[in-house]
Amino acid sequence: MGGVVDILSWICIGGGLFFSLMGGIGLLRFPDFYARCHAAGITDTLGSILILSGLMLQTGIELNLARLILILLFLLFTSPVAGHAIARAAHQHGLEAQVDGEDVTDA
Amino acid sequence: MKKTVSLTLMLFALWLLWSGIYTFMITSFGVASVILCVWLAHRMNIVDSEGHPAHLALAHITYGPWLLWQIVLANIDVSKRVLSGNINPCWVRIKAPQKTPLGRVIYANSITLTPGTTTVQLSGDELLVHTIHREVGEDLARGAMASRVSKLEGQD
Amino acid sequence: MPELINIALLTFLVVISVVIIRAKDVFTAVMLSGIFSLLCAGLFTVMDAVDVAFTEAAVGAGVSTVLMLAALSMTTSQEKERPTNWGALVVAVLTGALLVYGTLDMPKYGDPAAPVHTHEQVAKRYVETSLVEIDVPNMVTSLLASYRGFDTLGETTVVLTACIGVLLLLGGRRREEDEHEGS
Amino acid sequence: MFVVASIGILVCMSLALVRAAKGPTVFDRILAVNNMGTKTVLLIAVLGYLTGRPDFLDLAMIYVLINFIGTFAILKFVKYGDLAQAAPPEGE
């Protein structure tokens, strides 16, 4: 294990922990459900990406690398679908969002 | 038929990755399970261009890194907002310009995957998106991501 | 250092149990018990029992959450207000104490002098020959699927029967409803 | 160093746990549970490296999929009050 790769991987894992923590704090701090969805998104995306990449750098070229990549792919494919499904269910249930001002449109 | 073959190959590659042990007996189990899965998928009629979009695999090579960079930027932005508490949530109603349902789904998922924006509803070609701040919403409505996904869709 | 993680996970389990007990909404309780199973599985992983963790994740967090939700869909999700039942508390505490008392006799976790590890023939034979005889690298799997194959087959049959039973019960109810709506 | 990583993930899990316990709506709880599932996956992956047995990654993989399916089961229950029912024919 080269020293540079080692340092890089720890930077990745540290960054991942930082973003996961941000997600956790946001989950507690944000005022309503829809805003919390965004906070949860941080953990699901960059948090996991960085932590898993850090682990990948620790692994080197072997089968486990492929496994880590697959875990990451699964996470990245499933988390938006799950997040969208939760938000849609809440919306259809009539859960109001705290918004001010008008809706933004592209027209 | 082409899809069935590529599905079989993909499943077997996946099996080889997960197994890590390549004696004759265990590999033959793997072959048997792959054949069973493909047969079941065939019976369920899910081997089509939506369930197995192999034609988009190449296009993702350029789209993936771009999306990743957007995710990184959005993460930093939302993390700042978590710390400062500077949020101003609003709804965004936009049209998805993609032609196929698959393209629209990719667009909607890309929006959700980027923190700060969550697709709440996708009906027809209309998207209802919740954004964490008005600026983020206006940025999304300018449609940089939408045109990227349209290009991806057109590459097949 | 794994001890620290064990302690943290166990603390989570205790916190979740307290929240489950205090939850008035049964739906919340079901979902929290899903997390409970997931964390249990994490704990098993730390203790090197990967096979148990697999089962716990699939059955505890996956199937039983779904089953409980299915059961919940037939009742209301609010718990009735009831006076605290002190008798039940005493019984639960006594049972728990008995179980803890029972574990005192067990050999320590990972103790090489435990009877399982020191038995002359059984453990030694499995460890030495299972790879040669069965050709499956994971010893626990090879034991379960070959030496104890009939035992495992019986277990699987029980689980399958239970699943079919539950599905029949749920399905039967739905058909009745459909007919009701149709008439 | 893996110890630091796993402790960090445990801290994040405790934050999500607080949200799951506090609610206030059902959807907040589902979100927290789903989030905790993701963190459990990460925790198990890191633990595999901590104990020097990266074989645990298989377990993490199973967790990702179970977490996904579990979230959908819960949502289907919330939406239709019944797991076995299909979506109404008019779709959205």
Side-chain angles (χ1 to χ4, degrees), chain A residues 39-80:
Chain A
I42 304 181
T43 322
D44 278 351
T45 56
L46 203 57
S48 352
I49 291 174
L50 283 177
I51 289 179
L52 289 175
S53 325
L55 290 181
M56 279 178 211
L57 289 175
Q58 289 279 330
T59 313
I61 309 290
E62 52 166 314
L63 272 184
N64 283 323
L65 186 70
R67 290 190 180 140
L68 281 171
I69 292 173
L70 273 175
I71 292 176
L72 188 58
L73 279 183
F74 278 152
L75 266 179
L76 288 184
F77 278 125
T78 58
S79 78

Side-chain angles (χ1 to χ4, degrees), chain C residues 52-66:
Chain C
V52 188
F54 257 113
T55 317
E56 179 68 40
V59 176
V63 178
S64 57
T65 310
V66 173

Side-chain angles (χ1 to χ4, degrees), chain D residues 21-92:
Chain D
K22 261 170 67 175
T25 67
V26 169
F27 300 104
D28 287 301
R29 293 203 167 100
I30 300 175
L31 192 68
V33 168
N34 186 32
N35 211 274
M36 239 171 126
T38 312
K39 281 168 190 161
T40 314
V41 173
L42 294 178
L43 180 69
I44 287 176
V46 174
L47 279 181
Y49 281 82
L50 178 67
T51 51
R53 289 181 54 184
D55 310 343
F56 288 0
L57 289 176
D58 286 347
L59 199 60
M61 209 137 52
I62 300 269
Y63 275 29
V64 180
L65 298 175
I66 285 181
N67 189 34
F68 183 62
I69 294 168
T71 307
F72 268 79
I74 291 171
L75 284 170
K76 250 190 135 174
F77 169 76
V78 172
K79 198 166 168 198
Y80 306 114
D82 189 345
L83 290 165
Q85 210 166 313
E90 61 266 56
E92 302 281 345

Side-chain angles (χ1 to χ4, degrees), chain A residues 17-59:
Chain A
L17 285 178
F18 170 77
F19 280 109
S20 295
L21 208 62
M22 286 301 110
I25 294 173
L27 206 59
L28 285 182
R29 223 183 132 179
F30 280 162
D32 81 324
F33 164 76
Y34 295 99
R36 284 177 203 138
C37 276
H38 304 312
I42 304 181
T43 322
D44 278 351
T45 56
L46 203 57
S48 352
I49 291 174
L50 283 177
I51 289 179
L52 289 175
S53 325
L55 290 181
M56 279 178 211
L57 289 175
Q58 289 279 330
T59 313

